[in-house]
Amino acid sequence: MLALALLLAGGAATGCGGRATTHHKPGTSHEQASGSVGTLLTATDAGGHRFREVPAEGAPEVQLTVRPDSEDGWNLQLAVKSYRFTPDSTGGAALPGAGHAHLELDGRKLARLYGPWFHLPAAQVPEGAHTLTVRLYADDHTAWAVAGKPVEGTAQLNATATAPGQVGGHSHGDTPPPTQAPQPEQADRTVTITVRDGKVSPAPARTELRRGERVALRVTSDRADTLHVHGYDKELALPAGQEATLTLTADRTGLFEVETHTSGLVLTQLLVR
């Protein structure tokens, strides 16, 4: 009986696939998972995430580099040390030197990052001088800290007005814009979602798919935000008041959350069998 109890407890901790789950119920917020790495401080970031302090020796480090993109916006590179990105275990316990990052523009969260590269669309940056900040977090959403300060990197960015014949402030000559918009990618399933006043309509639920099917996520948000599909590491900028569509092939089986970065809302869950 003792062996059976231990077996059941282990299964509950790791989920049906034998690994830690990376999702929470639709309509709920992330909850901090337990972890014994470092020391939890009472100090928090602007989003309420507590600092997890570790010794300076061997602590994670990050530097941020910003380069203009030739077509739109900027490409961001995160050069990390003593740290690795672990998108598959987000939501689990804190592990040494592992997790994800948050991107902020002048102190306002823009996106959650799961790798060293990120494309920042020009539409998300108002005209003028700005400060970009990337901060490193553990899988349980606590912020890595050294000597009471979060582990982060900053860079300056100057956004200019977009003139005719230019994209994201970068000139492309006298080539006229295309007269016909590109046709949307074909999809087997279409999920239409609206975000208004912090509420998701229809209410978050599971979208069941067969492996190999293509699904189109059509999202309209009343505020500028970023859509992220966990597990597939797909992102889409959501301009305020405009419908945006992300089409992907469900080539992985499992349960994957679709959420917004800035508002932290769960829009749906993709259940791929």
Side-chain angles (χ1 to χ4, degrees), residues 46 84 266:
R84 68 187 188 282
V266 176

Side-chain angles (χ1 to χ4, degrees), residues 107-122:
R108 178 176 63 88
K109 181 181 175 183
L110 289 182
R112 187 188 296 170
L113 312 185
Y114 295 92
W117 288 95
F118 181 80
H119 177 251
L120 178 60

